[in-house]
Amino acid sequence: MSRKRGSKARFRKTLITTVKWLSAIVPVCAFIYILYYYKQFDFLKKKPVVKSRTEVVTQADSISALVGSNKEKLLNNIKIMENEWHTVGGIAIHSLTINNATAATVKNLEIEFKYLSGTQSVLTSKIVTIKTPLPPKKSTKVAGISVGYVNNSVVGCDLKVINGTF
């Protein structure tokens, strides 16, 4: 009889040790399977090298195809009537009223913003492309143009139309 008890005790001891090891290994294996299933092992793969190439295909601006005097004449017919601006956290926000006196709709318009100091010297100069279509022979209000960071010593802003796409 004592032999039977000893074998039961040995079986229990072995069973408890096995259950302890299984209770430690099964959650780890389940966690690794979940990571594998949801594709979370991407950090182990080698990242591809990004190659970039810039190539100029054609001149996209239709106004550049015009003769220089015609271009200047058309750009002189596009006037900025009002320029209201303020800074928000050092970023200049503009609200413009642009008058298109030409006979064609302007698709894109490049405007140069020159920020002036108290002595009217240029502190920074930025060029922004406005992609709002401007109908012919009408004034259009364009609001919320963010030009970028400007210095706190800026007191004025000078605008000039540089280029446009018709």
Side-chain angles (χ1 to χ4, degrees):
M1 239 197 224
S2 67
R3 186 171 179 112
K4 206 171 192 183
R5 266 191 199 172
S7 66
K8 275 187 180 181
R10 250 185 278 132
F11 177 71
R12 276 188 178 168
K13 191 175 185 180
T14 308
L15 181 66
I16 290 172
T17 307
T18 307
V19 169
K20 281 182 184 177
W21 277 100
L22 283 176
S23 67
I25 292 174
V26 169
V28 172
C29 292
F31 179 70
I32 291 171
Y33 176 74
I34 290 170
L35 289 177
Y36 171 76
Y37 183 78
Y38 288 107
K39 297 178 177 68
Q40 296 297 315
F41 287 116
D42 292 341
F43 65 92
L44 296 174
K45 295 179 184 175
K46 187 176 179 183
K47 292 185 172 83
V49 178
V50 177
K51 296 178 184 176
S52 64
R53 183 173 53 148
T54 304
E55 188 175 313
V56 177
V57 180
T58 60
Q59 185 70 15
D61 195 3
S62 62
I63 199 165
S64 65
L66 300 172
V67 181
S69 62
N70 277 345
K71 179 180 176 181
E72 289 296 322
K73 190 176 180 182
L74 286 173
L75 288 177
N76 286 337
N77 287 333
I78 301 170
K79 303 244 188 254
I80 298 172
M81 306 305 281
E82 285 183 27
N83 174 27
E84 298 172 8
W85 69 283
H86 61 280
T87 59
V88 177
I91 295 176
I93 308 292
H94 287 264
S95 179
L96 305 173
T97 303
I98 303 171
N99 184 15
N100 180 11
T102 62
T105 301
V106 178
K107 295 177 186 171
N108 293 334
L109 193 64
E110 288 183 6
I111 299 175
E112 181 180 25
F113 294 85
K114 289 183 182 177
Y115 293 100
L116 308 171
S117 67
T119 60
Q120 298 300 309
S121 62
V122 177
L123 290 175
T124 57
S125 177
K126 299 182 184 195
I127 297 174
V128 174
T129 302
I130 298 174
K131 295 187 178 185
T132 304
L134 305 172
K137 305 211 184 274
K138 288 188 179 179
S139 292
T140 307
K141 181 131 179 136
V142 181
I145 300 171
S146 175
V147 178
Y149 180 76
V150 293
N151 197 343
N152 287 336
S153 62
V154 171
V155 294
C157 181
D158 214 5
L159 302 175
K160 181 182 176 185
V161 176
I162 295 177
N163 208 349
T165 305
F166 292 91

